[in-house]
Amino acid sequence: MTERTPLLHYRLSASVNESEQRSPPAGQAPEQHPGSPRQRSAHQRQPKKLSIFFGVVIPTLLSMFSVVLFLRIGFVVGQSGLYQAIAMFLVAYFIISMTVLSVCAISTNGALDAGGAYYMISRALGPEFGGSIGIMFFLANVCGSALYVLGLVEAIVATFGVPEGDLQHITHIILPSGYWWSLLYATAIALLCLLVCLVGAHIYAKATFLIFLVVMFVLGTIFVSFFAVSPRTIPLPSIGNPAANGTGPLLPTTANFTGFKLETLLGNLWADYTGDYTTGYMMTFTTVFAVMFNGCTGIMAGSNMSGELKNPSYSIPRGTITAVIFTFIIYNLLCVLVACSCDRVLLQRDYSFLRDINIWHPFVTVGVYSSTLSAAMSNLIGASRILYALARDDLFGKVLSPAKKTSHSGNPWVSVIISWFLVQLVLFSGKLNTIASIVTIFFLLVYAAVDLACLALEWASAPNFRPTFRYFTWHTCVLGIIGCAVMMFLINAIYASASIAFMLLLLLLIHYLSPTSSWGYISQALIFHQVRKYLLMLDVRKDHVKFWRPQVLLMVSNPRSSVGLITFINDIKKSGLYVLGHVQLGDLSTLPSDPLQSQYDSWLYLVDHLNIKAFVNLTLANSVRHGIQHLLFISGLGGMRPNTLVLGFYDDCLPKDKLIDPSLSSIQCTDSSGPSEPEQQPPLFHFTSLRGSSDRQDCGEFGDGKVLGPQEYVAIIADAMKMLKNVVLARYFNNFDRAQVLSPPSSSPGKGAVYVDVWPVNLLRPDSSSYVDTCSLFLLQLACILNMVRAWRKATLRLFLCVEEGRSVRGSEEKLGQLLKELRIKAQVYPVPWDQQVALHWQRQGEWGKKHSSQSPDATTEEKKLRACEEEEDEDYVNSFPSNATRLSDDYLSAVNKLILDAAHPAPAVRFLYLPRPPADTRRYTTYLHQLELLTQDLGPTLLIHGVTPVITTDL
């Protein structure tokens, strides 16, 4: 049987539906003042007065007592025998009991509103689970309604009709039989259900309790009949008997109701699977179980009444468990009574035998008709309400938008018509046993999803998940999931696989297409729980150079001018931590609130817009230097902390806005007269507009105007190195376009090839050409990492080897090639003579030596002391900074810059250069920055890199 929401629920919620038309979207509370006339009248029209018995027990029992109880209990025992029948019920009730525990846990975890199981699951787990389970629940109810209609048709035909061509000895034929006739009857019954659902749902609601009394009375007469009716011979239906038309072996035409006999019981103990006389299919354990399991579903009918219960959290667990225990006892008692008193032939070939052995035959007929019709109608209404709830939640966008329409009374008539249409399609299957497997698999899948939902809540360990129903554990959830999954595949592996694939597809569609909801996401709770656990396991004491990866803190002043750099750094993180840092100047003690909280959304939208995998970390400080110190100290968690600081270069390049909305391309965002108007700003990026040349490129500006000087900029570099952080300075990335760089026109020099140039030598120390120090190897590692990214794999690494005349060029090239081979780095080595540049350097050294050696013997004592002080300062500086960098001439730096430009043909996409340490003497910071600026002048996108820790190894 399928899940059914009795119409009593909808009578009482009619006024609720009416008000829902005027209510705001899902997730927003209606604006009503307590005690207002509208609210008081609403409470008067819809009092929550249903108790456990009327609100939970009766709906659940009516959902579980129907086709199986009256028409298939003999079929189950006749095919599988008493032992396997009881085993089937034990397995089925074990599965649904595990699910009942999960439902009870979810239903007692907070206040419930109208909406039933879909409301509980969607609000507890978020739109992905809720939407996918809701669709499966809707389809299960649709198929269940069709199943009950077909069961009713079968009962009507068994009472008033006979098979085609078998008119002899029959004098009271009323209805003709056959597939198309049965389809016609089913269509008429479905139309009757449709009319009631569209016009008179309240009529059924008033009769719910009466129908329950009828079903219980008929069930009582059945139990009495086993004891009161004397043994008799019962004619069997001729349908499916080939002997009736003379086309097959002769099969029995009668069977016996023997009363209680040991011989009858012994004959019904073991399985004897035969063909189903209504469909001709051979029965097996799984097919019989599929039919039987329909009588065990319906456990969520009480949960669907949550909006009309006095105390849902109290009523749902107690009422549902009571109904489950009662139905389990009744089913097993009936199995025993049937096995003790009916021939196996009677059980196998007459599904309506309970009518023939009843003390008064019409009793069973009335019970079958009333229960199946109410079940079909209730499932149709339940399906329409689920569809209406899905449409109102906007999980599928415009696809389900027509289903939101309601009548003046609040009845979702479009949802009812859609549900009826789908029921009509299912009716073409023709036979109850044909769709029983599909219905069973749908409900098993829904139950497994409910168990999975409860398991996720339990494993997430969220503080707000504290249900008052505590008789469940994660073990019961797992057992429920395993039981549902096993039975699904035993019943029909193809249907089960298709159903699971469909549900996963729905989950993915909702995850990527649905708007953000305010219900909460169980995925976030699970991710938090798992991330915290694994972060604790990430022990920094177990770090090894073999598994080093860059974990980057990129300082961004204004994202408008830093898009190129942000996207490029995303490529060299190699699955490592990537943090976008920003410093805002200010003092929290003088501000009314934290100004950073309102900015996070824009930064997170930026991350989504650029499709990068990065975190955002903002800080408030009285200076940029202190802010970056804060971020270097506190960014990350546990073993996931930044080990590399990336800064934009300090120069006077005019920043360009790369976040301008295409529709606003004509708007000048660099207007110096003031910021752009709010309506001109792109909707997702509320960053400060760029203001001409007063802003520094990339990281050079933090706020309006020049808030960062050259001294402080170099001090930030020195601070990072003191903290053992690698440092990267990025220049000329303001115009960097990743897509354009990686897809150059084929007409360009090099025929579309992409190059990455690496200069792993300290160009500020021409007296030292070492390629194997820590910093040089760090350059090689980063270049190799960039080359390993899928988009950059076609790029060619070019390694430039600076050589002087008189040295063995071939020997140096072979040595470097051997190093690259050991490091497994594929690169082309290009020797570059730089004798002229070195000569310029030594020429300056000679001039410096003459200047300091031409000390006049007639110099005064004060002049001698001053010169001695200068020499001492130079000596100290040389010890902490490249030994002769203080004496590098601008001519030498310009010559080296020209050498770098001339050596690369065609021009590379990006260059990697060696970044020397800043001088220990802070007075030299400006000179240091000036040297770096001359060195990288007009080189295009360039990274100046300094590594402080070993990051590469040749060991296995």
Side-chain angles (χ1 to χ4, degrees):
M1 255 184 225
T2 58
E3 303 294 328
R4 300 158 40 207
T5 306
L7 297 180
L8 179 59
H9 164 72
Y10 301 107
R11 175 178 66 84
L12 293 173
S13 61
S15 58
V16 176
N17 291 332
E18 184 178 359
S19 65
E20 284 173 348
Q21 287 182 280
R22 302 185 295 268
S23 63
Q28 297 182 14
E31 294 183 1
Q32 285 188 357
H33 298 287
S36 64
R38 175 181 296 181
Q39 193 177 49
R40 286 197 301 268
S41 60
H43 280 291
Q44 292 170 1
R45 291 195 305 269
Q46 44 175 324
K48 292 187 177 182
K49 61 181 181 180
L50 294 182
S51 62
I52 295 177
F53 183 73
F54 289 95
V56 181
V57 176
I58 288 179
T60 306
L61 288 178
L62 285 178
S63 297
M64 301 181 76
F65 280 159
S66 182
V67 175
V68 173
L69 179 68
F70 294 111
L71 296 179
R72 288 297 183 268
I73 197 71
F75 162 80
V76 173
V77 177
Q79 295 286 348
S80 60
L82 180 61
Y83 289 155
Q84 289 194 16
I86 294 177
M88 286 181 184
F89 279 107
L90 287 172
V91 171
Y93 272 82
F94 173 79
I95 294 173
I96 67 170
S97 295
M98 299 299 102
T99 305
V100 165
L101 296 179
S102 299
V103 171
C104 294
I106 297 176
S107 65
T108 59
N109 187 47
L112 294 180
D113 200 353
Y118 164 70
Y119 180 88
M120 288 192 302
I121 296 171
S122 61
R123 268 53 179 183
L125 304 182
E128 296 100 335
F129 273 97
S132 56
I133 294 174
I135 287 292
M136 300 307 297
F137 200 25
F138 165 72
L139 294 176
N141 276 273
V142 166
C143 294
S145 180
L147 180 140
Y148 292 130
V149 170
L150 292 175
L152 180 55
V153 169
E154 182 181 302
I156 292 174
V157 171
T159 305
F160 299 106
V162 294
E164 295 176 305
D166 189 23
L167 305 181
Q168 57 184 354
H169 308 299
I170 302 297
T171 59
H172 57 280
I173 300 174
I174 299 177
L175 296 176
S177 302
Y179 170 79
W180 293 107
W181 284 107
S182 296
L183 181 61
L184 178 62
Y185 305 150
T187 302
I189 295 171
L191 282 172
L192 175 63
C193 295
L194 174 65
L195 291 176
V196 172
C197 295
L198 288 176
V199 181
H202 59 282
I203 299 175
Y204 176 80
K206 294 179 180 179
T208 301
F209 183 59
L210 179 61
I211 292 176
F212 171 74
L213 293 179
V214 170
V215 172
M216 290 298 103
F217 176 76
V218 173
L219 183 60
T221 63
I222 290 174
F223 278 103
V224 172
S225 299
F226 283 108
F227 297 92
V229 175
S230 59
R232 62 182 63 177
T233 300
I234 300 173
L236 298 177
S238 56
I239 181 174
N241 190 345
N245 298 322
T247 59
L250 183 64
L251 294 178
T253 58
T254 62
N256 296 321
F257 171 70
T258 64
F260 291 102
K261 283 189 178 181
L262 180 61
E263 181 182 354
T264 304
L265 174 62
L266 294 176
N268 289 325
L269 289 179
W270 304 102
D272 182 19
Y273 293 105
T274 61
D276 177 13
Y277 78 93
T278 62
T279 61
Y281 296 140
M282 187 65 186
M283 293 292 101
T284 62
F285 178 89
T286 54
T287 55
V288 173
F289 179 85
V291 175
M292 180 276 304
F293 191 80
N294 285 281
C296 304
T297 59
I299 57 175
M300 295 184 186
S303 303
N304 291 338
M305 300 295 292
S306 57
E308 281 67 53
L309 299 174
K310 290 181 181 178
N311 189 346
S313 298
Y314 178 85
S315 302
I316 289 175
R318 289 163 176 79
T320 305
I321 293 174
T322 300
V324 168
I325 294 174
F326 181 76
T327 56
F328 177 74
I329 294 173
I330 295 300
Y331 278 130
N332 281 277
L333 280 177
L334 278 178
C335 286
V336 173
L337 294 176
V338 165
C340 292
S341 58
C342 300
D343 282 345
R344 184 175 288 263
V345 176
L346 176 63
L347 301 178
Q348 291 178 339
R349 297 195 55 78
D350 188 0
Y351 293 160
S352 58
F353 76 98
L354 288 178
R355 179 194 60 193
D356 298 322
I357 67 172
N358 199 270
I359 53 178
W360 192 52
H361 296 177
F363 277 157
V364 176
T365 302
V366 172
V368 170
Y369 292 178
S370 61
S371 62
T372 51
L373 183 61
S374 65
M377 203 179 303
S378 182
N379 275 270
L380 179 59
I381 293 179
S384 66
R385 266 47 178 190
I386 294 170
L387 183 62
Y388 175 62
L390 287 167
R392 286 181 62 244
D393 287 338
D394 287 324
L395 297 183
F396 296 91
K398 296 182 179 179
V399 177
L400 296 181
S401 57
K404 297 180 184 180
K405 296 181 179 180
T406 60
S407 64
H408 293 294
S409 62
N411 188 27
W413 61 273
V414 176
S415 296
V416 173
I417 292 177
I418 294 174
S419 303
W420 165 81
F421 177 75
L422 294 178
V423 169
Q424 184 61 48
L425 292 180
V426 178
L427 290 177
F428 280 94
S429 61
K431 294 294 180 181
L432 184 152
N433 287 10
T434 303
I435 63 172
S437 297
I438 300 175
V439 176
T440 300
I441 286 174
F442 274 154
F443 273 103
L444 283 171
L445 184 59
V446 171
Y447 292 164
V450 172
D451 288 320
L452 180 62
C454 188
L455 177 66
L457 285 171
E458 177 70 9
W459 277 355
S461 299
N464 282 321
F465 181 64
R466 42 180 184 270
T468 57
F469 182 86
R470 297 303 305 168
Y471 299 100
F472 80 100
T473 65
W474 67 268
H475 304 84
T476 61
C477 300
V478 170
L479 288 175
I481 295 171
I482 294 174
C484 291
V486 169
M487 292 314 304
M488 282 171 56
F489 284 93
L490 285 178
I491 290 170
N492 192 309
I494 297 177
Y495 289 166
S497 301
S499 300
I500 293 174
F502 180 62
M503 182 177 173
L504 293 176
L505 177 62
L506 287 174
L507 194 148
L508 292 175
L509 284 175
I510 298 173
H511 177 74
Y512 288 107
L513 301 181
S514 69
T516 303
S517 76
S518 59
W519 307 341
Y521 293 81
I522 187 62
S523 57
Q524 295 299 303
L526 288 172
I527 291 171
F528 179 89
H529 185 266
Q530 293 301 111
V531 167
R532 182 193 64 86
K533 181 172 71 175
Y534 286 113
L535 274 176
L536 291 173
M537 297 171 61
L538 191 60
D539 192 344
V540 294
R541 294 169 297 182
K542 298 179 181 179
D543 284 346
H544 194 278
V545 65
K546 288 191 298 185
F547 306 110
W548 179 91
R549 67 180 73 235
Q551 304 196 79
V552 181
L553 170 62
L554 170 62
M555 295 307 304
V556 180
S557 168
N558 194 328
R560 294 188 178 280
S561 62
S562 307
V563 171
L565 181 58
I566 293 172
T567 54
F568 178 78
I569 298 300
N570 185 64
D571 284 338
I572 66 171
K573 69 181 187 304
K574 188 56 178 175
S575 303
L577 179 68
Y578 184 21
V579 180
L580 299 181
H582 173 74
V583 178
Q584 179 164 326
L585 299 183
D587 186 356
L588 190 60
S589 62
T590 62
L591 298 173
S593 63
D594 183 3
L596 300 177
Q597 296 304 316
S598 60
Q599 300 180 23
Y600 272 99
D601 281 347
S602 290
W603 285 85
L604 295 176
Y605 278 127
L606 173 73
V607 170
D608 295 337
H609 174 72
L610 298 180
N611 194 26
I612 60 176
K613 298 177 180 178
F615 300 95
V616 175
N617 207 346
L618 313 181
T619 190
L620 189 70
N622 57 4
S623 70
V624 175
R625 180 181 182 184
H626 289 160
I628 295 180
Q629 288 178 0
H630 296 167
L631 293 178
L632 287 175
F633 278 125
I634 67 173
S635 292
L637 198 62
M640 292 190 69
R641 293 185 179 276
N643 55 33
T644 303
L645 174 67
V646 181
L647 302 171
F649 198 78
Y650 190 94
D651 58 15
D652 292 318
C653 290
L654 185 66
K656 296 182 180 180
D657 195 338
K658 297 296 184 178
L659 288 179
I660 301 177
D661 195 315
S663 63
L664 306 173
S665 57
S666 61
I667 298 175
Q668 298 297 325
C669 291
T670 57
D671 183 8
S672 59
S673 62
S676 301
E677 296 297 326
E679 62 270 17
Q680 295 177 339
Q681 294 293 326
L684 299 181
F685 308 111
H686 304 295
F687 301 111
T688 306
S689 59
L690 301 177
R691 304 189 179 203
S693 60
S694 64
D695 290 322
R696 290 293 185 178
Q697 157 68 13
D698 295 326
C699 185
E701 54 93 5
F702 287 85
D704 294 334
K706 294 182 180 180
V707 298
L708 181 65
Q711 288 286 121
E712 187 177 3
Y713 178 78
V714 179
I716 292 171
I717 300 173
D719 291 342
M721 293 181 184
K722 291 176 184 177
M723 300 167 67
L724 296 182
K725 306 294 183 182
N726 309 300
V727 177
V728 177
L729 306 183
R731 191 175 190 188
Y732 295 120
F733 277 87
N734 53 332
N735 291 322
F736 182 82
D737 188 333
R738 182 176 182 271
Q740 184 178 358
V741 166
L742 295 177
S743 301
S746 57
S747 59
S748 62
K751 298 181 180 180
V754 179
Y755 295 97
V756 176
D757 288 0
V758 183
W759 295 75
V761 63
N762 187 354
L763 296 174
L764 299 189
R765 286 197 60 179
D767 58 338
S768 173
S769 57
S770 173
Y771 289 87
V772 292
D773 65 353
T774 299
C775 189
S776 298
L777 294 178
F778 187 80
L779 258 74
L780 291 174
Q781 180 76 317
L782 283 189
C784 181
I785 288 173
L786 179 65
N787 200 211
M788 293 169 68
V789 176
R790 177 176 299 180
W792 291 84
R793 283 177 184 170
K794 294 183 179 180
T796 301
L797 291 185
R798 297 188 300 194
L799 192 62
F800 291 91
L801 176 65
C802 296
V803 294
E804 298 180 42
E805 185 180 357
R807 294 193 179 185
S808 174
V809 176
R810 185 168 183 177
S812 301
E813 187 175 354
E814 289 180 354
K815 185 178 179 181
L816 185 57
Q818 181 63 29
L819 174 64
L820 295 175
K821 184 177 180 180
E822 292 177 357
L823 297 178
R824 293 91 61 203
I825 296 177
K826 185 179 180 181
Q828 299 177 1
V829 179
Y830 292 87
V832 177
W834 66 332
D835 297 271
Q836 295 179 2
Q837 291 76 18
V838 174
L840 286 174
H841 166 70
W842 289 117
Q843 180 181 351
R844 173 63 183 270
Q845 300 302 305
E847 294 174 356
W848 185 90
K850 289 181 179 179
K851 173 184 174 183
H852 287 270
S853 61
S854 60
Q855 192 178 50
S856 171
D858 300 329
T860 64
T861 305
E862 289 76 10
E863 291 176 344
K864 292 181 180 179
K865 288 182 179 180
L866 179 61
R867 289 174 181 172
C869 183
E870 290 178 353
E871 291 176 1
E872 184 179 355
E873 290 175 355
D874 288 335
E875 184 179 357
D876 292 340
Y877 181 59
V878 165
N879 291 334
S880 60
F881 186 56
S883 59
N884 45 25
T886 186
R887 300 186 295 275
L888 291 176
S889 66
D890 289 353
D891 292 339
Y892 165 75
L893 292 170
S894 299
V896 172
N897 174 261
K898 187 174 185 303
L899 172 69
I900 297 174
L901 282 172
D902 295 341
H905 293 287
V910 63
R911 288 180 170 90
F912 289 70
L913 301 184
Y914 191 114
L915 174 68
R917 279 182 172 272
D921 188 350
T922 58
R923 292 173 297 176
R924 310 284 184 177
Y925 281 179
T926 303
T927 301
Y928 170 80
L929 189 58
H930 174 69
Q931 292 172 350
L932 296 180
E933 186 172 3
L934 287 178
L935 180 66
T936 58
Q937 187 72 35
D938 299 325
L939 290 185
T942 302
L943 295 181
L944 287 162
I945 302 170
H946 186 88
V948 297
T949 55
V951 296
I952 199 167
T953 179
T954 59
D955 296 336
L956 182 63

